[in-house]
Amino acid sequence: MTLLKLCRQITEQNGKLLPKGHALGSRLVCMEYSKSAKEVKTYPLLSESRLFALCWNFSDKSRLYASMLPSPEAFHYVLPFQSGSTTQLHTHDYLELAYIAEGNFYQNILGRRILFHAGELCLIDKNCVHQDYLTAQDSTILFIGIANDMFHEVINENITTQKIISFLQSALLEQKDLQQYLHFKPKNGAASTAHMEDCLSLLLQELVSNTVGSSYICKGILLRIFRILSTEFDFSLSQEQKKSMSWLIFNEVTNYMKKNYQTICVQDLVSEFHYQEDYFNRLIKDKTGLTYSAYLKEIRLDSARQLLLATDMSIEDIAHAVGYHNKGFFYKMFVDKYGMTPSKYRKSSD
């Protein structure tokens, strides 16, 4: 089941319908009652449940369907509203990650009206003042409430040994502390969105079942979600961070190319680092003045040079070892680079 279908099912068919005026209704959506008052929303679950989901589904023009997970008893809530109305200004004592599964969504964050499109996310820090706009447009929003200790555990977890992830995680923490919110946009369009929605669907399904061990499973899924945010979504970085990030990615790309130069292609870099193909040409050109193909040739020929000096392998075997299956072509590349044949280069070192 897709994330959108799951959200609709949860908000429109999940258990009993709460009656109008039910106390829980204002927790799901609290309409504006004061221009100056600021509500503080506390974490709604027991301390051992460190993650919850709130689903909003705008449909039937001016009706908002909502539900919250996990819950001892399944329920959903329906609120008629006037298009353009807003929720009450509020803050949380926890972090909120919002994903726009369908349509568009406006929020007023720290006095700025911000538009989020389908496939985008917003991470709002605790104590950040904001409110939501309700519009008569079909849209579906998934809010994930994350207890503070859970967020710090996840963001500092050693998800991968790649330095890139560590850098982005620390940058995310730094930017969040400065801005109080982060706006994430998918780098690779539908592919990034699909990866994110797969994980969010798993998370929702686990919150629906809420069985023994669900809290551990949810933490694992949240780890995946933040890894995808770090690698497949853009968020704002300072100019200094962008420069550091650029060199870090270049070094990681170079290391990967040196480990896999025999068979590597640009698509391997796309799969490994989650950037578009032309990005790697631009990155390598910026750092070395060479195209991707020319830089790969440099790596291969340098490896061939080292094998000539350090081993007694035949020239043909060395050509194959560094990724050239045409001996004549390898000879030409080597002579162009070093000004002599591989055999002469080997003898010249004796």
Side-chain angles (χ1 to χ4, degrees):
M1 184 182 297
T2 66
L3 177 65
L4 186 57
K5 286 182 179 178
L6 185 56
C7 288
R8 286 175 177 168
Q9 183 183 80
I10 289 169
T11 54
E12 297 180 20
Q13 305 166 27
N14 194 39
K16 67 178 183 181
L17 173 64
L18 295 183
K20 185 178 179 181
H22 192 283
L24 187 54
S26 61
R27 174 72 225 211
L28 298 170
V29 51
C30 180
M31 302 302 292
E32 184 178 64
Y33 56 81
S34 167
K35 293 292 184 184
S36 57
K38 297 179 183 64
E39 282 198 337
V40 178
K41 295 196 174 189
T42 57
Y43 195 78
L45 305 179
L46 298 174
S47 58
E48 59 267 24
S49 299
R50 300 187 296 163
L51 195 70
F52 73 92
L54 170 63
C55 293
W56 279 6
N57 180 29
F58 295 90
S59 61
D60 297 340
K61 294 192 175 176
S62 295
R63 294 168 74 85
L64 170 59
Y65 296 80
S67 188
M68 185 184 288
L69 303 165
S71 174
E73 186 178 359
F75 70 89
H76 65 284
Y77 178 70
V78 182
L79 175 73
F81 66 90
Q82 288 187 343
S83 182
S85 55
T86 59
T87 62
Q88 182 58 37
L89 278 169
H90 63 279
T91 63
H92 310 132
D93 66 358
Y94 53 89
L95 288 102
E96 180 180 85
L97 181 66
Y99 178 75
I100 292 73
E102 180 189 34
N104 296 318
F105 183 54
Y106 284 95
Q107 284 188 309
N108 171 8
I109 306 177
L110 299 173
R112 291 181 57 207
R113 182 179 163 105
I114 300 169
L115 170 63
F116 299 95
H117 299 284
E120 297 179 356
L121 301 98
C122 179
L123 179 67
I124 294 184
D125 202 0
K126 60 180 181 178
N127 304 322
C128 176
V129 179
H130 62 288
Q131 67 184 153
D132 312 301
Y133 290 86
L134 282 57
T135 58
Q137 176 195 55
D138 286 356
S139 55
T140 302
I141 320 299
L142 174 62
F143 302 95
I144 305 295
I146 310 167
N148 298 304
D149 59 340
M150 168 74 94
F151 174 78
H152 283 278
E153 283 178 26
V154 166
I155 207 67
N156 291 313
E157 188 84 21
N158 186 22
I159 300 174
T160 174
T161 56
Q162 284 186 20
K163 294 176 184 176
I164 294 171
I165 306 299
S166 299
F167 177 90
L168 285 171
Q169 287 169 340
S170 62
L172 189 152
L173 277 172
E174 182 180 327
Q175 293 298 97
K176 179 184 67 65
D177 290 341
L178 290 172
Q179 299 183 5
Q180 289 194 283
Y181 77 95
L182 290 171
H183 185 172
F184 294 91
K185 300 179 182 180
K187 288 179 184 176
N188 302 317
S192 298
T193 300
H195 291 161
M196 178 59 70
E197 292 198 354
D198 285 346
C199 285
L200 290 171
S201 294
L202 288 173
L203 184 65
L204 267 187
Q205 288 165 14
E206 197 59 44
L207 290 172
V208 168
S209 63
N210 194 32
T211 55
V212 174
S214 282
S215 60
Y216 297 100
I217 296 171
C218 286
K219 180 181 176 182
I221 298 171
L222 197 61
L223 281 167
R224 289 186 223 165
I225 288 170
F226 274 95
R227 187 184 191 283
I228 292 170
L229 277 178
S230 295
T231 56
E232 298 190 46
F233 284 75
D234 283 320
F235 64 95
S236 56
L237 292 172
S238 68
Q239 286 301 114
E240 187 144 336
Q241 285 174 329
K242 286 178 181 177
K243 288 180 183 177
S244 298
M245 181 66 181
S246 177
W247 275 108
L248 184 57
I249 294 174
F250 172 72
N251 289 332
E252 290 290 312
V253 166
T254 295
N255 289 338
Y256 186 82
M257 289 176 70
K258 286 181 176 179
K259 287 178 183 176
N260 302 280
Y261 63 85
Q262 295 94 337
T263 59
I264 196 171
C265 65
V266 176
Q267 195 55 46
D268 295 328
L269 295 177
V270 173
S271 299
E272 179 70 14
F273 297 99
H274 308 289
Y275 289 92
Q276 292 183 347
E277 189 173 312
D278 64 346
Y279 172 81
F280 298 102
N281 255 319
R282 286 187 278 109
L283 176 70
I284 292 170
K285 186 78 171 177
D286 179 60
K287 304 304 181 190
T288 68
L290 302 172
T291 64
Y292 162 78
S293 298
Y295 190 56
L296 177 59
K297 184 180 77 172
E298 291 286 307
I299 292 172
R300 286 175 167 172
L301 291 176
D302 185 61
S303 180
R305 180 188 64 80
Q306 294 180 50
L307 289 172
L308 285 167
L309 299 179
T311 74
D312 57 1
M313 292 171 62
S314 70
I315 307 300
E316 190 169 356
D317 286 344
I318 288 175
H320 279 275
V322 300
Y324 292 109
H325 300 289
N326 183 314
K327 185 178 176 181
F329 183 70
F330 168 69
Y331 264 79
K332 182 181 183 307
M333 294 294 101
F334 195 92
V335 171
D336 287 347
K337 170 70 176 174
Y338 296 107
M340 63 183 78
T341 65
S343 299
K344 284 186 178 180
Y345 189 91
R346 175 176 268 169
K347 288 177 182 177
S348 70
S349 66
D350 293 338

